[in-house]
Amino acid sequence: MELVLAALLFRANQVVPVDQLVTEIWGDDPPRRAVDGLYVYVSQLRKFLGGFGQERRPITTRSPGYVLHVGPGALDVHAFQRLMDKGRVCMRMQRYEEASTSFQSALSLWRGPVLGEVRGGPIISRYSTWLEEARLECLEAVVSTGIALGRHQELVGLLRMLIAEHPLHEEFYRQLMITLYQRGRRADALRVYNDARETLTRELGLEPNRGLQDLQRSILVGDGELAS
């Protein structure tokens, strides 16, 4: 039942075909009476969601499947997207304080990994991946606004934590190098590059991307513009 609810939520206000829901629950080898089983799950969900006093049926049948009706602002993900959009606009206008507030408010809506331990099929997998990418973008934006506002001291610890959590995400290494360099910690910034190179070559057999390599060279020559 959790998988059905998640798939319908991720496609809220859209028709989710029966065959896609069957695949979401049972994969490519569904049982003989899979459609009957799906009908039972949907009935249970209708009873469960109906207990919240909604005026209309939360789940309706619409060929070729089902629709979960969700009102504006009912899901945290919608608020997250609005806050992200506002933050992006403020960033483009160089209103960094407002942008920082928007991005941090967006992050505060997260309660942990998407769906926890629940694993589904293509709908849930694609949506979970998109959400995680959006969260990473938001984290990068929080750091970028912090750098623009000169909040270097508080960013160092945050970035080290993010690198430990996402050791292959090169942008966090780049941001930490900039933060350390702007604090006058040139040697530490170069050590971060070496850590990134060691991790990437060990795990992926790859050199750091061009952006990290260019940043290392700028730090080696003491680029004055980068220090500001």
Side-chain angles (χ1 to χ4, degrees):
M1 191 170 75
E2 288 179 329
L3 293 177
V4 178
L5 177 59
L8 291 173
L9 277 171
F10 291 166
R11 296 271 187 88
N13 302 315
Q14 302 176 48
V15 178
V16 185
V18 166
D19 60 341
Q20 291 186 18
L21 290 169
V22 168
T23 299
E24 204 68 24
I25 303 168
W26 291 288
D28 296 327
D29 188 26
R32 184 169 57 87
R33 302 190 64 182
V35 174
D36 292 337
L38 174 62
Y39 177 78
V40 172
Y41 287 143
V42 172
S43 296
Q44 291 172 342
L45 279 174
R46 280 173 170 156
K47 292 177 183 177
F48 173 72
L49 296 174
F52 291 94
Q54 299 186 56
E55 293 182 3
R56 64 181 298 180
R57 296 184 71 183
I59 301 175
T60 58
T61 303
R62 189 182 302 170
S63 181
Y66 300 97
V67 180
L68 175 61
H69 301 278
V70 174
L75 299 178
D76 281 349
V77 68
H78 296 159
F80 175 83
Q81 289 177 289
R82 285 195 299 273
L83 288 164
M84 283 288 290
D85 289 341
K86 180 181 178 181
R88 294 186 189 107
V89 170
C90 291
M91 280 283 284
R92 288 195 292 270
M93 299 177 68
Q94 298 185 353
R95 289 156 45 185
Y96 298 119
E97 194 70 56
E98 291 178 63
S100 177
T101 298
S102 293
F103 291 131
Q104 292 191 54
S105 295
L107 280 178
S108 72
L109 296 172
W110 283 78
R111 305 289 186 267
V114 179
L115 294 180
E117 299 300 318
V118 176
R119 293 293 179 268
I123 295 174
I124 291 175
S125 177
R126 284 194 293 266
Y127 199 84
S128 297
T129 299
W130 173 78
L131 277 176
E132 183 56 29
E133 290 296 326
R135 176 176 174 269
L136 285 174
E137 180 192 349
C138 193
L139 286 165
E140 291 175 12
V142 166
V143 175
S144 294
T145 56
I147 291 173
L149 292 167
R151 297 171 179 168
H152 303 106
Q153 184 170 350
E154 62 192 72
L155 291 177
V156 172
L158 171 62
L159 282 164
R160 291 198 186 280
M161 180 187 70
L162 290 173
I163 287 170
E165 183 180 349
H166 305 279
L168 302 180
H169 195 70
E170 291 170 275
E171 178 62 14
F172 292 143
Y173 290 102
R174 188 190 72 84
Q175 291 177 320
L176 181 55
M177 289 171 68
I178 291 172
T179 300
L180 289 169
Y181 185 64
Q182 291 185 349
R183 290 196 67 197
R185 297 170 58 179
R186 183 179 175 190
D188 288 336
L190 292 171
R191 273 192 284 270
V192 170
Y193 177 83
N194 291 335
D195 290 343
R197 185 175 185 273
E198 179 182 340
T199 299
L200 292 167
T201 54
R202 182 181 66 247
E203 298 296 330
L204 302 176
L206 297 174
E207 290 291 323
N209 62 31
R210 178 62 63 85
L212 276 179
Q213 293 180 31
D214 290 346
L215 179 58
Q216 183 214 26
R217 285 191 285 270
S218 294
I219 292 173
L220 282 169
V221 300
D223 188 332
E225 290 187 10
L226 183 62
S228 59

